Amino acid sequence: MKVINKESRIPLYYQLMDIIIEMIEEGYLSENDQLPSERELCETYSVSRSTVRQAIQELEKEGYIYREHGKGTFVSPEKFKQDLLSFYSFTDEMKKIGKTPSSQVLDFKVIKCSDELAKKMNLASGDEVYMFTRLRLADNEPMMLETSYVPCDRFPGLTKEQLEQNAMYEIFTKKYNAVFTCAEEIFQSVLTREDEAVLLLYRTGLPAMMIERITHENDMIIEYTKGIARGDRFKYHVLLKK
Amino acid sequence: MKVINKESRIPLYYQLMDIIIEMIEEGYLSENDQLPSERELCETYSVSRSTVRQAIQELEKEGYIYREHGKGTFVSPEKFKQDLLSFYSFTDEMKKIGKTPSSQVLDFKVIKCSDELAKKMNLASGDEVYMFTRLRLADNEPMMLETSYVPCDRFPGLTKEQLEQNAMYEIFTKKYNAVFTCAEEIFQSVLTREDEAVLLLYRTGLPAMMIERITHENDMIIEYTKGIARGDRFKYHVLLKK
């Protein structure tokens, strides 16, 4: 067993974090396993309660563990690491890591663009767009909630049923011969709202990533999507070059 | 004055949002201006209290406005839009938008790498690194809190005073002839902790972006930084290509 070196210049809570992280990474503790209690950790590693608390707090903040009120502390499922280098789709990304993606279409309608939406989509106020909200799941676990706006002119005859059965980008490319030229995304850290928490089986006030996406087909914007992703399940990776 | 069209298929709260956003964008309402009260908005636009509340809630979530308990609702300062296309520095980005960047070095010391840190930085456990925490400000307003780890071997003689007087990347390139080859960043949505909130003049539990950055000089990692950025002041933009 690894021990804590009290002579070391490395802070004790940091050493304890290292020990717990190693137990997770080497598989001694698996997803959703309960951690030893604070008291047990104090005794096992001969450190103070405040050292244990600081380590636990830091591990929770870094997403290694989560606390359930009145139940204890557990090992977090690994976050999905979403790479922002290139164009991607939720469906493809989930398949890549061996998860089965699915979508529930919660709402589907045709609306007229408001001024604000028209400006975002390079359309005229009042132009018709499909507006639909999808709950995205991986192995039946809710991950993201997305509301998309898509110009009716470009995708005539789009239906709720199509979106329930196929990935949106697959419909766009196969049925409508769409060619995505680029997409812009904007990421903001937000708190989960009550209505979102209910659908995501998450908690109001916990952190979420709000992602706006604008997809272009040459000069035309063919998709504006605003999504909320569970902050405990996603992290985003980007490679910056000189 | 713009009015709400009750015959429209556009939801009323969405029309009201549009009106308020336009007032902000056209400068009728400026940063930190107080919004009219719920009652005034109901009367002015002949809509129900619940319509006003929904619009306000949505505008708050989108960051257009913020609420101060017992005081009212105010127009948010514009978020900084950080472009993730290429290598950037806080100092340069703030200068570009006409803000004066500054840093307070809150802590500066030499530590020995823990196993975890060594793994992240491609060093051996026990190797010495500088560890320092900087509060980054723009026009004297706290924006981010960053803790950086930098290998002592590569930057011998680095001091707290240097970091107080110059941008870190400037020291690295000018004094140590460093050449950044690439950087990786990982973004996660988190809640602000109490100790962070105090320094950022922000509130515990409000959304923040945790950003980890690893900067490479060829095969060597010359910087590992973990930062917390105020969620109400930053958004991140990325362009995805096919």
Side-chain angles (χ1 to χ4, degrees), chain A residues 77-93:
Chain A
E78 213 182 331
K79 284 192 186 186
F80 301 123
K81 190 171 167 187
Q82 177 69 71
D83 211 314
L84 296 182
L85 284 179
S86 64
F87 202 82
Y88 63 88
S89 82
F90 177 82
T91 307
D92 294 342
E93 290 297 318

Side-chain angles (χ1 to χ4, degrees), chain A residues 2 9-10 14 18 21-22 25 57-58 61-62 64 79 81 84-88 110 112-117 119-120 128 149 180-191 193 196 205-210 213 226 228 231 234-242, chain B residues 2 9-10 14 18 21-22 25 57-58 61-62 64 79 81 84-88 110 112-117 119-120 128 149 180-191 193 196 205-210 213 226 228 231 234-242:
Chain A
K2 269 190 81 164
R9 274 199 278 170
I10 302 168
Y14 210 97
D18 259 5
I21 290 169
E22 212 173 284
E25 289 185 343
Q57 189 185 44
E58 196 62 27
K61 191 186 143 208
E62 294 186 18
Y64 284 105
K79 284 192 186 186
K81 190 171 167 187
L84 296 182
L85 284 179
S86 64
F87 202 82
Y88 63 88
V110 172
K112 287 186 191 293
C113 273
S114 65
D115 291 356
E116 174 71 5
L117 184 61
K119 205 154 64 176
K120 273 203 170 55
E128 290 194 325
Y149 303 86
F180 311 130
T181 42
C182 67
E184 291 168 73
E185 291 203 326
I186 291 171
F187 291 83
Q188 296 179 64
S189 183
V190 298
L191 303 183
R193 291 192 319 193
E196 296 158 350
L206 284 186
M209 193 72 86
M210 183 196 278
R213 173 188 283 218
K226 192 163 178 176
I228 291 288
F234 284 96
K235 58 186 181 187
Y236 297 87
H237 177 257
V238 65
L239 184 69
L240 311 170
K241 287 182 186 158
K242 199 50 180 170
Chain B
K2 271 192 81 167
R9 274 200 277 170
I10 302 169
Y14 210 97
D18 260 3
I21 290 169
E22 213 173 283
E25 289 184 343
Q57 189 185 45
E58 196 62 28
K61 191 188 142 206
E62 295 187 17
Y64 284 104
K79 286 192 187 186
K81 190 172 166 184
L84 296 183
L85 283 180
S86 62
F87 201 82
Y88 64 89
V110 173
K112 287 186 189 294
C113 272
S114 66
D115 291 357
E116 174 70 5
L117 185 60
K119 205 154 66 177
K120 273 202 173 52
E128 289 194 326
Y149 303 85
F180 311 130
T181 42
C182 69
E184 292 168 71
E185 290 203 327
I186 291 172
F187 291 81
Q188 296 179 62
S189 183
V190 297
L191 302 183
R193 290 192 319 191
E196 296 158 350
L206 284 186
M209 194 72 87
M210 183 197 278
R213 173 189 283 218
K226 190 160 178 178
I228 290 289
F234 284 96
K235 58 186 181 186
Y236 296 87
H237 177 259
V238 63
L239 185 69
L240 312 170
K241 287 183 186 158
K242 203 43 184 174

